[in-house]
Amino acid sequence: MILLNMDQLASRKPEHIFILIGSNDIKISDKKEFMAKYAQLIAGIKEKLPNSKINILSITPVSVDALNKEPSYKRIPEYNLSLQELARTENVNYIDLMPIFKNNAIPYASDGIRFKTDFYPLFLNHVRKTSIDVFSQKTDRI
């Protein structure tokens, strides 16, 4: 997991922060370490940017071929459940990307992990819609 320079991030003063940490990270650490590093990242963001809205994006699935080549990818749903719980615990937004994959034929790149360019407009539209819905709901409760 790459931890970015918090000072660089803070200098930009973003209103919204979207965190998407990919499937490669679950190959190099166990779930406990992965979640601890994720929590550390969120804590650092909250410390430097207490007014920014933090969004955790689910780990995207991989193709069947990639799943067959790398068994650790079978843990993606388990990690996503833990990310969802972490979001609840940390009081940040969780964005489930799975509806994109359920509702569309997603064009994977040749590695079966990354995506062809056709995916990204779907991704951005889903994140935008989900973020607007969530932030509207939170505002309505105040």
Side-chain angles (χ1 to χ4, degrees), residues 1-2 23-30 33-34 37 70 72 75 79:
M1 181 180 306
I2 298 172
S23 53
N24 285 335
D25 291 295
I26 69 171
K27 293 187 325 185
I28 58 175
S29 63
D30 65 16
E33 179 184 2
F34 180 89
K37 287 182 178 181
E70 179 55 61
S72 64
R75 301 182 309 182
Y79 275 59

Side-chain angles (χ1 to χ4, degrees), residues 47 61 70 80 82 92-96 108 119 122 139 142:
E47 180 183 328
E70 179 55 61
N80 281 337
S82 294
V92 300
N93 186 33
Y94 176 79
I95 298 176
D96 183 8
Y108 284 94
F119 167 74
L122 298 170
T139 303
I142 295 176

Side-chain angles (χ1 to χ4, degrees), residues 59-110:
I59 300 170
T60 55
V62 298
S63 72
V64 174
D65 288 342
L67 194 61
N68 290 334
K69 289 178 187 173
E70 179 55 61
S72 64
Y73 291 142
K74 292 179 183 173
R75 301 182 309 182
I76 290 173
E78 174 189 342
Y79 275 59
N80 281 337
L81 286 174
S82 294
L83 287 174
Q84 195 170 11
E85 181 58 35
L86 179 65
R88 259 192 301 276
T89 302
E90 294 293 333
N91 197 28
V92 300
N93 186 33
Y94 176 79
I95 298 176
D96 183 8
L97 300 176
M98 288 309 296
I100 302 170
F101 295 87
K102 290 179 183 172
N103 299 328
N104 300 281
I106 300 302
Y108 284 94
S110 60

Side-chain angles (χ1 to χ4, degrees), residues 6-26:
M6 285 296 163
D7 291 331
Q8 282 181 323
L9 179 63
S11 71
R12 295 178 181 201
K13 296 181 176 66
E15 183 178 345
H16 302 277
I17 297 170
F18 297 88
I19 306 170
L20 175 60
I21 298 177
S23 53
N24 285 335
D25 291 295
I26 69 171

Side-chain angles (χ1 to χ4, degrees), residues 35 51-52 60 82:
M35 292 303 152
N51 297 319
S52 293
T60 55
S82 294

